[in-house]
Amino acid sequence: MLARIIAEVFRAERARVLATVIRVCHGDFETAEEAVQEAFEAALARWPIEGAPAEPRGWLIAVARNKVIDSIRRRVKLRELVAANETDEVADAPELAVADDRLRLMFTCCHPALALDAQVALTLRTLAGLTTVEIARAFLTTPEATAQRLVRAKQKISGARIPYEVPDPTELPDRLGAVMAVVYLVFNEGYAATAGDAWIRRDLCREAIRLARILVELTDAAEPRGLLALMLLHDARRDARIDAQGEIVLLEDQDRTRWDRGAIDEALALIPLALRAPGPYGIQASIAALHAQAPSADATDWPQIVALFDELYRRQPTPIVALNRGAAIAMARGPTAGLGVIEPLRSELAEYHLFHAARADLLRRLGRTDDAVRAYKSALACCTLEPERRFLARRLVTLGATG
Amino acid sequence: MPTTKPETAMQYLLMIYHAEQQWADLPEAKRNAMYGEYAGFMKAIQESGHFVSGDALQPSHTATMVRVKDGKVSRTDGPFAEAREQLGGYYLIKAKDLDEATSIAAKIPSVAHGIGCVEVRPILQY
């Protein structure tokens, strides 16, 4: 019984405890991870006898910190670190320091000097507490390759001395952008209807949302609020976007009563804060919010969505944003207007199945069946995701053609 | 530039790579201006306490590769001429962490003007 409670404390508190202990070790991840592991083992041995402490987190940090100092004392060449430890840190108000430490840990894990896949693996391992096997499964790689990636990243952090601190204000916007990019990548990896274990994918989304909550809690910036709202709004539709047979259900056909209202309400409350200084995440969240508030696809405020896509395209003039803007224009002003925006993107998006699928859908609505069939076939030819392939094949069947 | 406490400092080797042809193609006035900027940069990192050593190298066609195989020394012309960018110079600096080292690297004049790149490598400490 108590062992289960300790396991729960471990899951809930590991990242916070680890974040503080890494600071105590001046950025030495390996020593910190060992010390935290030993502290939890000590809890398993002592709490059943002594009773659980009133402040489990504080207890774990104190024990792990002592383990670190013991281990540093054993290593003569690191003597100076002990001296530094004895003079600072002790007087910190524990709660405040822990909060800051999680933010430090995020910035260090997502430092631009680390490769992006290493940033993602390190964030999932240290902040989300996923195991090496779980990370490997989520990213379709081997546990050995993931372990190797983590070891290399930790060696670089201590070897090259990547700082364990929140960046100064001049660098903060860029660095925050890097952290948000990793969080959103984790979310999308969990949200994409590709291969992989469904359970671990759901866990990735949950962890990404949890990490975004930390950013919101610990920074004043608008964009983390936009990011959190955006992910909550996508995640609210999770159950409605796949039917009982595992097939994709388009936004316009989803049963909106199955959307998670609690998540939507939380996101809607964040939108005004995100729009104090609107960036790409805040604008995308606003678009998702308009969908979330509409009773049906037809009753959606499409002109407002087009205006938001105009704004997004001004900041991120990519062909993918242009494609989505074109789809919104089709809904607001009709398929012909949408096609006018989408057609010029052909040279850039010829290999992208959603370009052909969006075009096919507009041709279908215009009654240009032969053109639509050809476009669906082009989409099928460059699509590798099984659920999406089945969706495109079904569309071809409804048009009287075969894939 | 911020001063650094020598007892806690790391050392980093900043290796400056650029296409030699691009450097050679610069108009003479521009090249001379760049030499002036290098002198200023050198003075700044000496005064801030970051500088340990540093030099510019002669062009890569003056380089010789040495290998020893079965006790026999071979000396050949090299490195491979195909490399797009060549090592043109280096600084050995002291810095408190990687962020300080990379911010100094970004101020190396040719790099600051968008020519070439710098590889920042921490020195192994025993």
Side-chain angles (χ1 to χ4, degrees):
Chain A
M1 182 61 196
L2 191 57
R4 217 192 66 216
I5 294 172
I6 296 172
E8 271 168 30
V9 170
F10 186 93
R11 174 136 187 89
E13 302 290 0
R14 186 180 181 277
R16 284 176 181 236
V17 172
L18 182 61
T20 295
V21 177
I22 291 173
R23 174 167 53 81
V24 172
C25 306
H26 293 236
D28 182 345
F29 277 56
E30 306 265 339
T31 304
E33 283 181 329
E34 271 169 37
V36 169
Q37 190 57 42
E38 285 174 26
F40 277 96
E41 282 161 14
L44 275 173
R46 285 167 52 186
W47 293 4
I49 300 162
E50 300 168 11
E55 292 279 355
R57 188 194 304 156
W59 190 94
L60 290 164
I61 289 171
V63 171
R65 189 178 167 279
N66 288 336
K67 303 262 178 208
V68 166
I69 291 171
D70 286 349
S71 126
I72 289 171
R73 284 214 173 97
R74 284 196 298 268
R75 283 178 282 169
V76 179
K77 64 173 180 171
L78 291 176
R79 215 166 20 214
E80 74 214 43
L81 274 177
V82 177
N85 260 304
E86 278 164 358
T87 54
D88 57 22
E89 322 299 355
V90 183
D92 282 350
E95 196 52 39
L96 194 70
V98 171
D100 286 349
D101 286 336
R102 279 183 303 164
L103 199 57
R104 277 194 190 95
L105 185 53
M106 288 180 109
F107 280 113
T108 301
C109 289
C110 301
H111 194 281
L114 299 170
L116 185 60
D117 52 11
Q119 294 178 27
V120 170
L122 206 53
T123 301
L124 289 175
R125 179 76 199 97
T126 58
L127 276 150
L130 265 62
T131 65
T132 308
V133 173
E134 287 169 331
I135 297 166
R137 216 185 302 153
F139 291 92
L140 302 178
T141 169
T142 62
E144 293 74 25
T146 304
Q148 170 84 329
R149 194 171 284 166
L150 285 166
V151 167
R152 288 247 166 103
K154 287 183 224 166
Q155 279 172 352
K156 181 159 184 183
I157 288 169
S158 62
R161 200 179 284 179
I162 290 177
Y164 192 61
E165 62 194 24
V166 175
D168 63 51
T170 56
E171 272 195 67
L172 194 59
D174 273 358
R175 296 287 307 278
L176 200 52
V179 173
M180 290 191 290
V182 166
V183 171
Y184 198 41
L185 188 73
V186 168
F187 181 85
N188 278 323
E189 202 53 43
Y191 198 70
T194 58
D197 189 315
W199 182 84
I200 189 75
R201 294 196 162 267
R202 169 143 236 169
D203 223 36
L204 286 181
C205 289
R206 201 175 295 144
E207 288 303 338
I209 287 172
R210 214 174 55 83
L211 293 172
R213 282 191 210 285
I214 297 175
L215 282 180
V216 166
E217 191 188 320
L218 300 181
T219 66
D220 295 327
E223 274 288 81
R225 283 152 181 83
L227 174 63
L228 176 57
L230 177 62
M231 294 193 298
L232 285 168
L233 290 164
H234 281 316
D235 204 51
R237 299 202 292 257
R238 167 180 290 280
D239 290 336
R241 62 200 266 276
I242 305 281
D243 70 12
Q245 284 74 45
E247 302 296 342
I248 293 173
V249 183
L250 291 185
L251 181 61
E252 61 198 67
D253 301 322
Q254 287 173 13
D255 174 0
R256 297 181 181 222
T257 62
R258 296 184 64 201
W259 290 357
D260 177 352
R261 282 293 140 193
I264 290 172
D265 288 343
E266 186 189 349
L268 294 180
L270 288 163
I271 300 278
L273 304 172
L275 293 183
R276 279 181 319 197
Y281 293 117
I283 295 168
Q284 290 177 81
S286 305
I287 293 169
L290 288 171
H291 287 302
Q293 288 168 297
S296 69
D298 286 340
T300 304
D301 188 351
W302 291 107
Q304 183 60 31
I305 288 180
V306 171
L308 286 164
F309 269 118
D310 289 345
E311 196 59 30
L312 185 60
Y313 187 74
R314 213 168 51 77
R315 283 149 215 264
Q316 279 186 339
T318 69
I320 305 282
V321 173
L323 178 65
N324 286 311
R325 179 174 163 269
I329 287 173
M331 293 304 286
R333 300 173 205 157
T336 308
L339 266 183
V341 176
I342 288 174
E343 289 288 6
L345 304 170
R346 176 185 291 279
S347 59
E348 288 167 292
L349 296 178
E351 307 290 318
Y352 185 53
H353 70 277
L354 291 179
F355 163 75
H356 298 290
R359 203 176 151 264
D361 187 51
L362 298 183
L363 292 167
R364 179 181 64 85
R365 288 192 217 175
L366 287 169
R368 289 167 58 183
T369 309
D370 290 347
D371 291 337
V373 167
R374 267 196 296 277
Y376 276 122
K377 285 184 176 170
S378 302
L380 210 45
C382 45
C383 176
T384 55
L385 307 176
E386 258 327 299
E388 299 200 22
R389 289 185 63 85
R390 289 198 300 273
F391 172 82
L392 293 167
R394 284 203 305 281
R395 274 285 151 99
L396 273 172
V397 170
T398 61
L399 290 175
T402 52
Chain B
M1 263 175 240
T3 54
T4 188
K5 281 189 282 176
E7 69 271 19
T8 60
M10 292 268 294
Q11 289 199 357
Y12 297 86
L13 186 64
L14 314 184
M15 289 173 276
I16 305 160
Y17 287 88
H18 54 241
E20 284 172 354
Q21 199 53 47
Q22 189 184 358
W23 185 258
D25 288 346
L26 284 180
E28 197 175 339
K30 187 95 192 278
R31 202 163 45 236
N32 286 336
M34 197 83 92
Y35 288 140
E37 286 185 40
Y38 264 99
F41 172 75
M42 181 87 129
K43 189 159 177 284
I45 62 172
Q46 279 171 336
E47 283 171 0
S48 66
H50 291 98
F51 178 84
V52 178
S53 65
D55 284 292
L57 303 177
Q58 292 189 36
S60 63
H61 68 256
T62 63
T64 305
M65 303 297 273
V66 176
R67 286 184 182 81
V68 179
K69 199 179 172 192
D70 301 329
K72 215 170 161 267
V73 177
S74 84
R75 287 171 294 184
T76 55
D77 184 38
F80 300 112
E82 300 89 68
R84 213 168 48 80
E85 293 183 325
Q86 294 80 27
L87 184 63
Y90 72 92
Y91 289 99
L92 181 63
I93 62 162
K94 280 184 286 197
K96 76 176 164 69
D97 57 31
L98 183 66
D99 283 1
E100 190 173 82
T102 53
S103 77
I104 291 168
K107 293 191 182 88
I108 292 174
S110 51
V111 180
H113 285 284
I115 298 170
C117 60
V118 190
E119 181 177 338
V120 178
R121 288 279 285 272
I123 299 295
L124 185 60
Q125 290 174 318
Y126 291 97

